[in-house]
Amino acid sequence: MSARTAVLAAPGALFGRRARRRWIHLILGGALAMPYVFVGSVVVGPLLGEDDVFGSLTSQLGAFAAGLPLAALTALFPLTRPMSAAAVRALCDVPGDALADGPARSRQARGRTVAWFTLHLGVGGIISGMSLALPPFAVVLIALPFAAALRDGELAMPEVLGEGWVLALCPVFGILSLVALAGCAAAAGGLLARWAPELLGPSPADRLAAAEQRAADLAVRNRLARELHDSVGHALSAVTLQASAARRVLDRDPEFVREALAAIEETTRRTVGELDAVLGVLREGGDQASPTAPAPTLAADLDGLLQRTRAGGLRVRATVGLGPRGADALPPMVSREAYRIVQESLSNALRHAGPAAPVTLTIALDGTDLVILAENPLPRGAPAARPGGGHGLRGITDRARLLGGTVRTGPADGVWRVRVRLPLKGPA
């Protein structure tokens, strides 16, 4: 930077918006220091044998020095770091992500918070004192050559000010003292702004907690995305199939049309309820692991799912072998995730194989595992990997992994096969 550029930038650095805001931050530190100074004066007064502690500069500095340890002690309260970080964000132009949000969790972080609070109050107290004392002094110096009443009054001016050349320089000294005050405030504000990320920044424990929170939020969002994809995606596929089938036989099979319309009504009603539940979680901030409304389960909703799917014309042959108690014996989470897996398997077959292709669905117990097998013939000339992004198959894999299960999908022996194994007692 050239000298001319530095001269032009100096007024902004001393009196610009950022400098003024940091000056306010320092004044705030001085205001916070005043209660501790008053307590320190109670200690310093008897030691110096003075009744009026604020009558001398030495006593004031002693009270100030005695109050700072008290400020450091109170900085251990949990609220200190969030309050200090909020003030720095608002007034010091420090990036928000460079500062921690919550209370200090570790001993090291608490020590840095104590250091910051003491530094803020100490430096802020000094700048505040200068801001109270220097401006009146500078105004007197500037006005002294032009106001004889000030020279002849009761201000006890030094005799040297009676000299003509000294008197002529008084306005210069007054202006320089104001500039010096602004320079000290700008330097102190810049110093605090530079040290704020070091003393108020997130510790490794804070970063770990933030990463865990982000991971939890991402898991909830992925969970909600799967719920939306599986429920709404299946509903749209089923409704499209049912409406198409009803349109084709509208004139010759009114009974089938009534059944298809009833299935469309039931499908949309259930889907709207599930959609409201998921959107309710999103409106609340996504702080729940699953929607608040009861989720469909294999035990309670499998028959309705098969009925609505068949009403649209899809030929589904289902075999359920779950023992005497049926799906009621399944753990609630397994029953819920198994329902979504069956739902997505049928939607997958509907989207890629079409309503004319038969689907074979088998749900059975194999030892301590629940096995779900869905098969449909591959259309002629179909690719080995199904197009379309694969969100449904990824959702099936994620649900199975949540329960510690396994998934195998792909073409085999002329059919597309989805085979899922879910342990009834797993990590979930």
Side-chain angles (χ1 to χ4, degrees):
M1 180 183 297
S2 64
R4 183 174 181 272
T5 304
V7 171
L8 294 176
L14 295 180
F15 303 103
R17 179 178 178 272
R18 183 170 65 176
R20 295 196 305 269
R21 291 166 64 88
R22 290 178 176 177
W23 201 335
I24 293 173
H25 182 253
L26 292 168
I27 299 298
L28 176 62
L32 292 174
M34 288 307 298
Y36 303 103
V37 174
F38 286 136
V39 175
S41 66
V42 177
V43 178
V44 171
L47 293 178
L48 298 180
E50 295 183 2
D51 296 331
D52 185 10
V53 176
F54 298 101
S56 66
L57 180 60
T58 302
S59 300
Q60 293 177 21
L61 293 177
F64 184 68
L68 285 181
L70 298 176
L73 184 63
T74 58
L76 294 173
F77 287 102
L79 187 60
T80 302
R81 189 169 74 164
M83 180 191 69
S84 300
V88 171
R89 284 193 185 98
L91 298 173
C92 293
D93 291 333
V94 175
D97 56 358
L99 305 175
D101 290 320
R105 293 180 173 85
S106 63
R107 181 179 301 177
Q108 182 182 13
R110 286 191 292 269
R112 293 204 306 267
T113 302
V114 169
W116 167 262
F117 192 69
T118 307
L119 181 66
H120 181 205
L121 268 61
V123 177
I126 294 173
I127 297 298
S128 297
M130 294 173 61
S131 299
L132 289 174
L134 279 179
F137 175 71
V139 169
V140 170
L141 288 180
I142 294 172
L144 197 58
F146 313 102
L150 293 177
R151 299 192 300 271
D152 301 334
E154 298 180 356
L155 295 180
M157 292 293 180
E159 294 182 1
V160 70
L161 293 179
E163 300 291 338
W165 65 273
V166 175
L167 195 62
L169 291 177
C170 282
V172 178
F173 292 147
I175 294 173
L176 289 178
S177 64
L178 292 177
V179 174
L181 172 61
C184 291
L191 182 67
L192 290 183
R194 178 177 299 179
W195 284 357
E198 297 294 331
L199 298 178
L200 294 178
S203 64
D206 296 323
R207 294 188 179 93
L208 179 60
E212 291 176 347
Q213 183 60 44
R214 287 194 297 270
D217 293 341
L218 181 60
V220 171
R221 292 172 61 184
N222 288 338
R223 169 76 180 174
L224 297 179
R226 286 198 304 268
E227 294 290 337
L228 284 174
H229 175 272
D230 291 351
S231 62
V232 177
H234 172 79
L236 290 176
S237 299
V239 166
T240 301
L241 177 63
Q242 292 158 354
S244 175
R247 179 181 57 81
R248 289 195 300 269
V249 299
L250 180 62
D251 297 329
R252 62 178 184 273
D253 195 348
E255 183 64 26
F256 179 82
V257 173
R258 281 193 292 269
E259 293 179 0
L261 292 177
I264 290 174
E265 180 182 5
E266 175 64 21
T267 301
T268 53
R269 182 184 296 112
R270 288 181 58 86
T271 305
V272 167
E274 295 177 13
L275 182 61
D276 286 342
V278 175
L279 294 181
V281 176
L282 290 175
R283 283 191 292 268
E284 294 169 7
D287 56 351
Q288 302 180 31
S290 60
T292 55
T297 62
L298 202 65
D301 302 283
L302 177 61
D303 291 340
L305 174 64
L306 295 176
Q307 182 179 0
R308 292 188 300 273
T309 304
R310 288 166 176 155
L314 187 66
R315 293 179 292 166
V316 181
R317 185 177 64 186
T319 303
V320 181
L322 298 178
R325 295 180 56 191
D328 293 331
L330 298 176
M333 181 172 284
V334 174
S335 183
R336 186 185 69 202
E337 300 301 328
Y339 175 88
R340 291 301 192 192
I341 290 172
V342 171
Q343 184 184 53
E344 179 54 35
S345 299
L346 296 177
S347 299
N348 196 50
L350 179 61
R351 283 193 297 267
H352 298 286
V359 178
T360 301
L361 176 66
T362 303
I363 305 174
L365 293 176
D366 184 8
T368 59
D369 295 342
L370 175 68
V371 177
I372 300 172
L373 178 63
E375 296 178 331
N376 62 269
L378 283 172
R380 181 174 301 178
R386 291 189 166 177
H391 296 294
L393 295 180
R394 283 201 296 269
I396 291 176
T397 302
D398 291 341
R399 293 179 185 278
R401 187 181 296 116
L402 175 69
L403 300 175
T406 58
V407 178
R408 295 178 61 186
T409 61
D413 302 327
V415 300
W416 181 269
R417 179 176 298 163
V418 177
R419 180 181 179 88
V420 182
R421 179 179 291 270
L422 304 176
L424 301 183
K425 295 181 180 180

